[in-house]
Amino acid sequence: AVRILNVKEATGLMTVELYRNDPAGFLNKRGREFRMRFAARAPATEFCVTAPAAGQWAMVAYHDENANQMFDKNSFGLPAEPYGVSQNPKIRLGPPPIEKALFEVAETGATVEISLRE
């Protein structure tokens, strides 16, 4: 189960991406296992996804407020839409390393909470 917190408005889409435990593939297409989109619900958007196997995974989420199916960035290349990363690591000037985002999926499943940040 996935729970996205701090959703300000029930507009647009909530997009989640699941990544394999591969530092070189984190946050790029090569390492992405899949992407799913759901209608955004405030104050939290909840849904279920199925990981392909037990093990360590990382997940990112962003609120695609204008539903253009893109993660919009401003003129400085910084996120223009709310986003979050599994394990909610501190994010400074760049994306966190995958080690700070990994969570364990058991055979029985897992629950992941991601808090969106502006």
Side-chain angles (χ1 to χ4, degrees), residues 28-96:
N28 67 53
K29 289 180 186 176
R30 188 176 78 227
R32 185 173 64 217
E33 189 68 28
F34 63 75
R35 174 190 292 152
M36 299 180 83
R37 294 180 173 94
F38 300 89
R41 293 200 168 99
T45 303
E46 298 181 56
F47 47 87
C48 290
V49 297
T50 302
Q56 291 192 313
W57 298 87
M59 184 175 284
V60 298
Y62 64 91
H63 186 179
D64 183 8
E65 295 170 313
N66 58 8
N68 67 351
Q69 299 190 9
M70 294 175 55
F71 182 39
D72 296 331
K73 296 185 178 167
N74 66 21
S75 58
F76 298 107
L78 299 172
E81 295 179 305
Y83 66 95
V85 179
S86 52
Q87 303 292 20
N88 300 299
K90 288 189 176 175
I91 297 176
R92 303 215 190 281
L93 297 175

Side-chain angles (χ1 to χ4, degrees), residues 87-114:
Q87 303 292 20
N88 300 299
K90 288 189 176 175
I91 297 176
R92 303 215 190 281
L93 297 175
I98 193 169
E99 294 79 21
K100 297 207 182 265
L102 291 172
F103 61 93
E104 189 72 32
V105 175
E107 293 292 333
T108 55
T111 299
V112 179
E113 283 193 353
I114 298 175

